[in-house]
Amino acid sequence: RSLVGSEMCIETVFYAFPLPEEVADWLYKTSLALREKLAGGKVTPKENLHITAAFVGNVNEIKTDILSQILREVAANNTASTLSTCPPTRLRGADLICSKIKADDALFKINSDLTRLLAQKGFNVEKRFTPHVTLIRRPGFKPSFAELKKQTDFQSVSFTADKISLLESKTDGAFPRYITLKTEKLDPLPPNKKPPFSTDGFFEIKVKQKSLIVKHRLAANQNAESTASATRYPAKNVSAVMPKEISILRKTFLTDL
């Protein structure tokens, strides 16, 4: 924090969607694997992975009360959003590698509501909105990024963003530390709109342009239940078709598959 005039100034404040633990873990491991093939770059710590909903900037402590009120209003008038990760890419105009987020209309409505309410309160907010998760900053490429993408195996993960937070960024080290000032839950999705492949049990994997679906659901306070199905292969042959991928999933998420 720094003093501006007679007021305490918080370094940077922004709204963000926290990532489910499984998604953050998956993206962080992807970043580490990608970094090994780069000539340079800083991998975003797992605890810093997030999707920015709206960037506010430097504000004083009095204005954080207004930002908290805006957060409550937006959360009360919006529903959770269905999201899915995309393969690593370079974000135009920024020196970083990210995973862009494929989102439904609910996510863009939240951003629109935040932008409108912030503008009404006199905050300057960037109107351009490209939902993404920053994976690596200041990357160095050898080979080129186009060649690197061909060498990288990336599985898309779908999940639900069911809460939104107001965060403060403190830059007192090699990486900023994000302090959660306030978090609000979004209205849950109707059962028929929940993502078919989500962090509470479903993942889709594409192998050699043949779609293979592996489903695994862990029911709370119940015995683990797992099923597997493939579009072109019988379920009993799943492990034979892609033993490496099944092994990775078993170690990462599907411990009972």
Side-chain angles (χ1 to χ4, degrees), residues 84-253:
S84 60
T85 59
C86 296
T89 187
R90 299 187 71 177
L91 193 63
R92 181 177 297 179
D95 188 18
L96 57 83
I97 294 175
C98 70
S99 171
K100 288 187 177 180
I101 299 299
K102 187 181 297 184
D104 58 12
D105 291 340
L107 189 80
F108 291 93
K109 182 179 181 300
I110 291 172
N111 169 260
S112 177
D113 287 354
L114 283 171
T115 301
R116 174 177 52 80
L117 292 173
L118 287 167
Q120 289 176 1
K121 297 297 184 179
F123 293 95
N124 294 320
V125 183
E126 183 179 357
K127 294 185 177 180
R128 184 180 63 179
F129 179 52
T130 304
H132 67 278
V133 179
T134 298
L135 304 179
I136 301 175
R137 296 182 184 277
R138 296 186 291 278
F141 298 106
K142 188 180 68 174
S144 67
F145 185 60
E147 288 298 319
L148 195 61
K149 288 176 66 175
K150 295 178 183 179
Q151 302 173 16
T152 304
D153 182 26
F154 184 86
Q155 285 85 41
S156 176
V157 178
S158 296
F159 59 99
T160 300
D162 58 2
K163 54 188 175 182
I164 183 170
S165 299
L166 177 63
L167 302 179
E168 174 190 355
S169 175
K170 294 183 68 66
T171 54
D172 52 7
F175 284 94
R177 288 188 300 111
Y178 297 146
I179 301 171
T180 301
L181 302 178
K182 190 174 184 59
T183 296
E184 295 284 349
K185 285 192 173 183
L186 298 162
D187 287 341
L189 287 171
N192 62 334
K193 289 190 176 182
K194 288 187 176 181
F197 309 102
S198 63
T199 54
D200 66 353
F202 297 97
F203 299 90
E204 181 178 14
I205 303 167
K206 291 184 179 179
V207 181
K208 295 180 181 179
Q209 298 181 349
K210 295 177 181 178
S211 179
L212 175 69
I213 298 174
V214 178
K215 296 181 180 179
H216 185 82
R217 168 164 286 172
L218 298 177
N221 302 321
Q222 296 180 10
N223 293 329
E225 176 185 357
S226 61
T227 61
S229 63
T231 55
R232 296 190 60 184
Y233 301 95
K236 65 181 181 180
N237 290 333
V238 167
S239 295
V241 172
M242 45 182 297
K244 177 182 177 182
E245 286 76 7
I246 291 296
S247 176
I248 292 174
L249 282 174
R250 183 183 291 115
K251 292 178 181 178
T252 308
F253 301 113

